Amino acid sequence: MFLGFKITVNCLVCVCRYLLCEVCMSERSMLRLLEEKDIFQAVKTAVTTAHGQYGLALFNIGSAVRYVNAYTGVVMLRFRKAHYQLLWSALPFITSIWKQGQRVPCFFNCIHVGGTIRTCQKFLIRYSRQQLFRMLPHCKTEGKVISSIIILRIIQIALTNHL
Amino acid sequence: MEKKPTPYERVVCKNTSLYHYMKINLVFDSRNKSLSAEQFKQLIITGLKDLYGEVGAAFPFDVLTFNQTELSAILRVYHSSLVKLWSAITLIGSYESVSCAFRVTQVSPFLLALSGNSREMEVF
């Protein structure tokens, strides 16, 4: 006898938009200490200032900081698709991040909007490659030149694996 | 001479009006409180700023008339920001620590419609 059973799963489809932003800080040393909670607080404050209680309520639904790279200053924010444009419009109003009781001036530059983390990752690999090509002529020591060439090779391998 | 019958014509205008006009009334808990037209507008802007932030406080609206004794006014607002203004003035609860409330009497896309309503009409 074959016992067949049905499993019904209610899928909550979370349609999100992932915003890739580059944090430009005046002090490079403070960039290394960047943490997810600092970015979250800065974005929350900016949304409250720009869009009030309505914006804060929209931000509290499904918004998060998904990825922070302290070396390059790349941050990935996740918003709901329904209201990501309103929250995106508040990002240029971020002027500083509070870090260790200090106010560090910074600027958020949005470089890409993707529907999934994978598309953002693909874009980030291409973007990092372009940035390395731009930084290569400015390398002063031979060690820096060699390490950047190695990183370029790694990025090339990663790109061919994806495609 | 026979008159030609005038043909029946029906004109339907589908464009919404650019502005909306609101007749509102400010009611205080205590009767002693009064404010000027500028303070009245500032109160509404404060309510917009609380709910919709800096972007909300920048919505253009005009106080066309203001009656200081009755604390009633007619506001003019763009069609797109009517809902936001109405929701903001609904949520204003106090002014200078005195409880107050906004009562919206009439809303219309035409200013002429605010000149009278059937509630206050007196038929002789």
Side-chain angles (χ1 to χ4, degrees):
Chain A
M1 265 185 75
F2 172 70
L3 279 167
F5 52 90
K6 227 180 1 174
I7 303 171
T8 49
V9 179
N10 287 330
C11 293
L12 259 174
V13 181
C14 285
V15 191
C16 301
R17 284 286 178 263
Y18 293 91
L19 257 75
L20 262 180
C21 302
E22 202 179 358
V23 180
C24 309
M25 269 191 180
S26 47
E27 293 161 49
R28 298 290 296 184
S29 52
M30 294 301 270
L31 189 67
R32 299 289 170 92
L33 305 168
L34 211 59
E35 271 178 39
E36 277 155 12
K37 54 184 182 188
D38 304 321
I39 305 277
F40 189 80
Q41 278 308 311
V43 177
K44 195 174 193 177
T45 319
V47 165
T48 314
T49 318
H51 297 292
Q53 298 291 317
Y54 178 68
L56 181 64
L58 288 177
F59 180 78
N60 282 333
I61 304 170
S63 301
V65 179
R66 271 278 173 255
Y67 168 77
V68 169
N69 188 329
Y71 296 105
T72 54
V74 169
V75 168
M76 195 196 293
L77 304 166
R78 185 192 70 180
F79 298 130
R80 282 288 156 88
K81 186 187 166 189
H83 48 252
Y84 79 100
Q85 282 163 330
L86 188 90
L87 301 171
W88 186 4
S89 67
L91 291 184
F93 291 99
I94 300 174
T95 51
S96 57
I97 294 179
W98 282 95
K99 188 73 200 168
Q100 292 168 347
Q102 269 184 302
R103 205 179 133 262
V104 183
C106 69
F107 170 73
F108 271 59
N109 183 28
C110 184
I111 51 177
H112 187 247
V113 179
T116 57
I117 296 182
R118 187 171 281 187
T119 52
C120 290
Q121 191 188 16
K122 279 188 201 169
F123 174 82
L124 198 56
I125 290 170
R126 280 200 311 267
Y127 185 76
S128 311
R129 195 160 167 243
Q130 285 169 0
Q131 291 292 90
L132 270 174
F133 274 125
R134 273 190 215 133
M135 286 192 318
L136 197 60
H138 299 291
C139 283
K140 288 176 189 162
T141 60
E142 214 179 271
K144 279 190 185 171
V145 172
I146 292 168
S147 58
S148 55
I149 289 171
I150 290 169
I151 292 168
L152 269 169
R153 283 265 181 262
I154 293 169
I155 287 173
Q156 261 176 333
I157 293 164
L159 262 173
T160 47
N161 283 344
H162 270 283
L163 297 166
Chain B
M1 256 173 68
E2 272 182 40
K3 260 189 184 175
K4 270 190 190 166
T6 49
Y8 177 71
E9 230 179 48
R10 193 173 80 140
V11 178
V12 177
C13 188
K14 284 207 167 175
N15 295 328
T16 51
S17 169
L18 190 60
Y19 294 107
H20 268 240
Y21 301 89
M22 290 174 79
K23 199 173 192 179
I24 61 175
N25 207 12
L26 181 58
V27 172
F28 277 107
D29 212 9
S30 63
R31 303 268 168 164
N32 304 334
K33 204 77 180 171
S34 176
L35 21 85
S36 64
E38 294 83 23
Q39 289 169 321
F40 187 82
K41 187 166 184 184
Q42 184 56 35
L43 176 62
I44 297 175
I45 291 175
T46 314
L48 271 169
K49 197 168 184 176
D50 277 335
L51 189 56
Y52 292 111
E54 298 287 339
V55 172
F59 286 145
F61 72 96
D62 307 305
V63 178
L64 297 179
T65 59
F66 180 70
N67 189 329
Q68 196 154 2
T69 43
E70 288 171 36
L71 289 177
S72 67
I74 294 180
L75 304 181
R76 181 181 73 166
V77 69
Y78 274 99
H79 168 69
S80 50
S81 44
L82 171 72
V83 175
K84 297 204 169 173
L85 180 75
W86 197 340
S87 56
I89 63 175
T90 308
L91 290 175
I92 294 173
S94 64
Y95 172 70
E96 285 181 0
S97 68
V98 177
S99 309
C100 66
F102 275 93
R103 305 264 183 256
V104 177
T105 326
Q106 248 180 315
V107 179
S108 171
F110 310 110
L111 189 55
L112 192 59
L114 298 185
S115 62
N117 57 12
S118 54
R119 272 178 282 166
E120 290 159 19
M121 194 170 67
E122 282 176 54
V123 181
F124 295 104

